Amino acid sequence: MFTYKIDHELELALPRPELDAEAIYQLVEKNRTEFAKWLPWASNIKSPKDEEKFLKDCLQKYGKGEMLLTIIWYNHKPVGTLTLNRFHASDKSTEIGYWLDKDASGKGIMHRTVLALCDIAFTDYDIDKVEIHASVKNDSSNNVAKKAGFHFDGIHRAGELLRDGFHDSTIWSLLRDEWQNKKKQDRLKPILLFS
């Protein structure tokens, strides 16, 4: 398994469709009611075979340099996915997409994995801007962007078509120089030792 280790609990891994499809499908099934509100694709995944096909399609796009889908592993178990959805050559930007099992929420998993994926985007893909788009009503996704230090750029009216119609969407961004400054500041923070 090709992985990017984040810390002692978390890593991102390229999917292995035949091996990972069942577990990822079970997570989608378990969270389907919540996902259906914000993720239109959730209704298209109706079996492990559908998930396997989706993961294979994502790997083909990865091979063509069109996207990067990773599986989030927390304590050696898959708990969600994190994706660089598209690469826009015209402005060297990409968009992050993510979902997480409800039982894994509240542990800082999305915050840590989004920051790790930003590092991959800026370092390995030479991206200048990473964006997160979310429905204005999707508090969880908007909180992830805010906590990760993304700048709130504004609202795109009728920016997302969800199952109940069009929704306004928020646009958040993080620029390469902001990322570099954040990393520099984090290195300069004093370490407090308690005895």
Side-chain angles (χ1 to χ4, degrees), residues 126-142:
D126 195 32
I127 293 296
D128 280 329
K129 179 171 68 172
V130 176
E131 294 182 348
I132 294 175
H133 299 198
S135 168
V136 295
K137 295 179 181 177
N138 188 340
D139 293 334
S140 296
S141 284
N142 287 299

Side-chain angles (χ1 to χ4, degrees), residues 16-17 52 66 68 78 88 101-102 127 129 172 185:
R16 304 161 303 168
E52 183 179 333
E66 296 173 357
L68 169 65
H88 304 283
D101 175 25
K102 61 186 172 189
I127 293 296
K129 179 171 68 172
W172 301 83
Q185 288 172 353

